[in-house]
Amino acid sequence: MGNSGSAVKVCTDHQGGINWLSLSPDGQRLLTGSEDGTARLWSTADSQCHGHFQGHESYITFCHLENEAAFTCSADHTIRKWDVMTGQCLAIYRGHTSIVNRILVAKDYLFSGSYDRTARCWSVDKEKQIQEFRGHRNCVLTLAHYSSRDVLEEEEEEEEEEEKVSRDLLVTGSTDCTVKVWWVSSGRCYQTLLGHTGAVLCLILDAPNRELFSGSTDYTIRTWNIVTGEQLKVFKEHQGSVICLELSIRLNVLGPETH
């Protein structure tokens, strides 16, 4: 097709650069977070703006859209939850002391990472901080979440008896060049993954294969065994920072045997 592609739709209502995009699970709406301090909700069918979320006191760094709620985080040190139908702010999560870089919604948890060198866990509904994760020597840039049920065998789980109240783990990547894995229930660091020589910008988990992928300003992607912390592979072909990772799982479909 060459380079002759043209824009199908253009959404132009923001008054500043757009820092993040998030598509609803049903694919019908798009949430955008902007340097103008607002988020907007668009219809993917007609490119019209159907929601304008105002309240942050500085630029929005990241946003996340679900079918009934939207979440934004900002350089004003806060996270906000919004009603996508009315545009009303439903909750403000306060506690970080610097720019909030990233948020992640998992079940009833809201996780956040900040320039204040911490990650935090919040109750989505109660607007309350549940846990704080301290240990990074610089800002937390990226987050991933999983349950030990997804990656550990029963005998391995029993070795972590004190954590069995909650088997959720949080993974954080930082400008201190490390990846850390934390037990959500206690805030205890389960392991630190060492190897990158630049800031860790992105993470993605392949739970069935017990592998974690990390991308960095050191131009590499590294693969880790999420259980043991062992570094498995290093991909070195990029000539610049790795800013985003996406995992494609290929299924092998076997037909009937032939004789």
Side-chain angles (χ1 to χ4, degrees), residues 170-186:
L170 176 69
V171 188
T172 55
S174 169
T175 51
D176 67 11
C177 309
T178 70
V179 176
K180 288 182 178 286
V181 184
W182 315 80
W183 287 106
V184 171
S185 58
S186 66

Side-chain angles (χ1 to χ4, degrees), residues 118-121 129-134 182 186-188:
T118 72
R120 302 183 189 224
C121 176
Q129 182 177 305
I130 298 171
Q131 194 57 263
E132 183 175 319
F133 309 91
R134 285 189 175 271
W182 315 80
S186 66
R188 182 171 69 88

Side-chain angles (χ1 to χ4, degrees), residues 6 18-19 38 55-57 81 84 91 98 121 123 129-132 149 160 170 190 194 202 206 210 228 246 255:
S6 58
I18 295 169
N19 289 332
T38 74
H56 280 296
E57 297 175 3
K81 178 183 177 181
V84 298
S98 189
C121 176
S123 167
Q129 182 177 305
I130 298 171
Q131 194 57 263
E132 183 175 319
R149 294 185 184 91
E160 302 292 345
L170 176 69
Y190 172 56
L194 301 173
C202 48
D206 179 6
R210 299 176 157 200
T228 67
E246 188 70 29

Side-chain angles (χ1 to χ4, degrees), residues 59 61 74-77 96-101 113-116 140:
Y59 62 89
T61 56
S74 168
D76 68 7
H77 309 177
H96 282 295
T97 58
S98 189
I99 297 168
V100 184
N101 299 305
S114 169
Y115 268 79
D116 65 13
V140 179

Side-chain angles (χ1 to χ4, degrees), residues 139-157:
C139 57
V140 179
L141 297 177
T142 184
L143 307 167
H145 167 269
Y146 68 99
S147 169
S148 63
R149 294 185 184 91
D150 298 331
V151 297
L152 296 179
E153 302 293 343
E154 284 187 19
E155 59 272 17
E156 292 172 314
E157 283 193 309

